[in-house]
């Protein structure tokens, strides 16, 4: 039974699910949905995801939305890969960082993504909101300091083994250059992301994400 992923490939949220599926070697099919086309508002898609967002996964009769939840489901299909630890404390640690991703890291990266990637690359808007970027910089440095400190003591986010926490938090950095994320002071984040970026599944997914729009990272 093939796994179906409904994604807008350039989105970091889609990247999370796609990269995990690729890393695990799962048999999956991509259905492209584009927020600009309105195809996430069709009746058929709304039945799958009433939020009219993506990503969404359908696996037989099972349907799930929210990127980090999808990642956990995909990891459960290949438990031997260890992306979601089997022990309760290890699993909670990974889940904690996935929650932190949504509450802090994504919010810190989003102003730079919006002003430097989404507006000029997808909406044709060239004027930047400097006030939004200034506020975003404050959020970014606060969150980046936390993540950099965590990585100073570990190879990956939760320890010496690659987990879903790395895929969730690393996804935003595929646009680090284009978004002009101020990563210069954070050597541990840069070291960690350099390791993620050479993973075969990561490179495969970057190719899938960038191909539709040819956005330079």
């Amino acid at each position: 039974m093939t796994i179906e992923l409904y994604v807008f490939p350039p989105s970091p949220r889609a990247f999370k699910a796609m990269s995990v599926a690729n890393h695990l070697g799962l048999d999956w099919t991509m259905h492209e949905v584009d927020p600009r086309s309105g195809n996430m508002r069709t009746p058929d898609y709304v039945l799958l995801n009433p939020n009219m967002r993506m990503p969404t996964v359908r696996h037989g009769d099972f349907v799930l939305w929210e990127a980090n939840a999808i990642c956990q489901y995909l990891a459960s299909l290949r438990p031997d890969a260890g992306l979601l630890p089997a022990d309760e404390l290890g699993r909670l640690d990974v889940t904690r960082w996935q929650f932190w991703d949504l509450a802090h890291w994504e919010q810190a990266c989003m102003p730079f993504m919006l002003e430097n990637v989404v507006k000029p690359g997808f909406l044709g808007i060239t004027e930047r909101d400097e006030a939004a970027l200034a506020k975003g910089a404050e959020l970014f440095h606060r969150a980046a300091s936390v993540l950099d400190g965590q990585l100073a003591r570990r190879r990956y986010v939760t320890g010496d083994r690659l987990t879903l926490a790395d895929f969730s938090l690393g996804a935003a950095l595929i646009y680090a250059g284009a978004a002009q994320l101020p990563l210069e002071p954070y050597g541990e984040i840069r070291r960690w992301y350099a390791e993620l970026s050479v993973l075969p599944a990561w490179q495969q997914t970057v190719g899938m994400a960038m191909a539709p729009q040819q956005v330079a990272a």
Side-chain angles (χ1 to χ4, degrees), residues 72 82-98 150 154 157-166:
Q72 291 205 7
L83 290 186
L84 189 62
D87 67 287
E88 185 176 7
L89 294 182
R91 177 177 53 80
L92 287 171
D93 194 22
V94 169
T95 302
R96 179 259 300 270
W97 283 101
Q98 289 189 292
Q150 176 75 1
R154 298 164 181 82
V157 172
T158 62
D160 291 330
R161 187 166 184 173
L162 186 71
T163 71
L164 293 181
D166 302 289

Side-chain angles (χ1 to χ4, degrees), residues 93-108:
D93 194 22
V94 169
T95 302
R96 179 259 300 270
W97 283 101
Q98 289 189 292
F99 288 172
W100 186 84
D101 167 45
L102 299 178
H104 300 283
W105 186 238
E106 183 178 274
Q107 301 303 314

Side-chain angles (χ1 to χ4, degrees), residues 115 119 124-130:
E115 298 300 326
K119 281 186 175 180
I125 300 172
T126 56
E127 184 177 354
R128 303 196 318 173
D129 186 337
E130 298 297 337

Side-chain angles (χ1 to χ4, degrees), residues 15 19 22 194 196-209:
F15 188 93
S19 60
N22 286 334
L196 293 183
S197 68
V198 298
L199 292 171
W202 203 272
Q203 295 184 340
Q204 177 187 0
T205 312
V206 166
M208 298 169 72

Side-chain angles (χ1 to χ4, degrees), residues 73-213:
Y73 175 69
L74 297 176
S76 75
L77 301 177
R78 292 283 190 276
D80 55 307
L83 290 186
L84 189 62
D87 67 287
E88 185 176 7
L89 294 182
R91 177 177 53 80
L92 287 171
D93 194 22
V94 169
T95 302
R96 179 259 300 270
W97 283 101
Q98 289 189 292
F99 288 172
W100 186 84
D101 167 45
L102 299 178
H104 300 283
W105 186 238
E106 183 178 274
Q107 301 303 314
C109 296
M110 188 56 66
F112 295 93
M113 285 286 299
L114 178 61
E115 298 300 326
N116 296 319
V117 177
V118 176
K119 281 186 175 180
F122 294 89
L123 302 178
I125 300 172
T126 56
E127 184 177 354
R128 303 196 318 173
D129 186 337
E130 298 297 337
L133 285 170
K135 183 177 181 180
E138 180 182 349
L139 293 174
F140 184 85
H141 288 299
R142 184 184 307 166
S145 294
V146 173
L147 181 57
D148 201 66
Q150 176 75 1
L151 289 166
R153 303 184 298 276
R154 298 164 181 82
R155 180 180 179 184
Y156 297 110
V157 172
T158 62
D160 291 330
R161 187 166 184 173
L162 186 71
T163 71
L164 293 181
D166 302 289
F167 285 89
S168 293
L169 292 165
L173 299 186
I174 64 171
Y175 292 110
Q180 301 176 41
L181 295 178
L183 285 170
E184 293 80 6
Y186 305 108
E188 294 297 334
I189 294 177
R190 290 186 281 107
R191 182 269 308 162
W192 162 72
Y193 185 68
E195 187 166 348
L196 293 183
S197 68
V198 298
L199 292 171
W202 203 272
Q203 295 184 340
Q204 177 187 0
T205 312
V206 166
M208 298 169 72
M210 301 302 180
Q213 299 293 334

